[in-house]
Amino acid sequence: MSSPLLQIRDLVIDYGKGADRFRALHGCSFDLEPGQVMAVVGESGSGKSSLVRAVAGLVAPASGEMLLDGQVLPPLRQRPPHTRRMIQMVFQDPGASLNPLHRVQAIIEEPLRVTGYGDAAGRKRRVAELMDMTQLSADLATRRPRELSGGQKQRVAIARALAMEPRILIADEALSALDFTTQDHVSRLLSDLRRDLNLAMLFVSHDMRSVRRMADDVCVIEKGHVVEQGAVSDVLYNPKSAYTRLLLAAALNPRAALSDPRLAEALENGEAVSEDALKGVMDIIRGGALMGDAR
Amino acid sequence: MNAAATSMPPSLAVAGLRISAGGKVLVPGLSLTIGRGEIVGMVGASGSGKTISAFSLARLLPDTLTQSGEISLEGERIDRLSESEMRKVRGGRIGMVFQDPLSSFNPLRTVGSILVESICRHQRLPARQARELAIDTLATMRLPGRKASVDAYPHMLSGGQRQRAMIGLALVNRPALIIADEPTTALDPTIQLQILALLRHQASSAACLFITHDIGAASAICDRLAVMNEGEIVEEGPTDRLLASPTHPFTRELLSHAPGGARFR
């Protein structure tokens, strides 16, 4: 059997040195196959962004192994061009990652130009193709980012990432800044792209519904430790850790969660909530009861 | 409702609130009542007019917008008050909580001194007592370490802790009304749940208007929901009724896009 597309083994990430050292990730391992989507879930500061940034080459791990097609994946500066192209990233705030002075056409064209793709006419055709793939209407090509909605900006960022024909797309909270309706539309787009391009994805998100819709596997990280990992069908329907349970309750039925007086008090006090305290809420959610059914 | 409650004026009564920008009408005529101890959620997509409506209650609209209509706080018309009188109402009888405390707190002031300033302005307490009250309030908001959080600068607190401090600031002068504009939107889901639990418990002494695009967050703590679209309340009712049998298509639309609004399995 050939090796997986991406293999991550015992990845440890530190920031700072000596006495100031902070361990952001205490060891994480997984395989990613072509076309496979893994969701990475956790609070701000949990280490989930550090994990995907290491894969993107933006952070150098302290120890552990990253293999792409069985080859060691070095930090970004040492990655040969064809390796760089294979892993592309879309960030949370498209406003900050798109040059405000450039038009959509130029933004999507830039990676093509930098990598020497075709001539001007060929690049223009390719940009039109990428805009079509990301469901951006052709007349937006002459607009600047500030003339676009949040959803359109994120589509431009996705089109730019796809220009490199990556095999792995990293979406770091790419939906979080969008309103719910737009989140639905963009997550549907990502699902279509994954199917049509056999694109593997690392999908960092809090949104349990898009995790459910898009991901095959999920890795739940809490304070730098992987607390739960496995198939979405397993982890989301049978969550073991208190954090995963609370996250599901918060996303799916916050009304039920706060209707439990003991749980509401612990939450108000900012105390750690035990797995046990969340059993009642889990039973409600497992029974299929959503917001509207809460009593 | 008992006799005593009916004889008391509601904490907030809005009638015929109209907001326009030049010739363009943004809110044609909004009416809303909130009783003491009640939390009402004003829910709608971005651009539905919910935030300008809420800001107009505290008369905080920019000069480019004009408002008319009756706004009564505990039976007293505040829409006729002068700007200097309104300044006493804001932060005093109306407490406000915003989405991002980091941009609404002065970064050069400690959290304690921000509270002390507000207490001194609205309650005329001597400095020492004001500081005691600030310490007590932050402790009630479950901020850790009595002294530590009073002397902390906003950037030293986590997002959830800053929002706890902001709710403390909104409540410290025992307001009649709290306006909370997207107070949980910028927070992680589990921290959102903590802030919702805190807000529901602590706001029970006042009336609360909770503005959000997240019908899930609103449903968690609100007694009633008012769904806004294009400057108008298209549907209003008790939370359980509205969630179980929404009648307006826009309410159904909001529910279908909320994380917990559509069937999960």
Side-chain angles (χ1 to χ4, degrees), chain A residues 20-68:
Chain A
D20 290 333
R21 193 192 70 181
F22 172 73
R23 182 146 288 182
L25 190 64
H26 298 252
C28 174
S29 303
F30 64 88
D31 287 352
L32 196 66
E33 303 288 349
Q36 188 185 0
V37 177
M38 194 177 84
V40 184
V41 168
E43 282 180 32
S44 308
S46 63
K48 61 188 192 308
S49 281
S50 295
L51 166 63
V52 298
R53 276 162 190 269
V55 175
L58 303 173
V59 173
S63 65
E65 241 185 351
M66 299 193 289
L67 303 176
L68 184 70

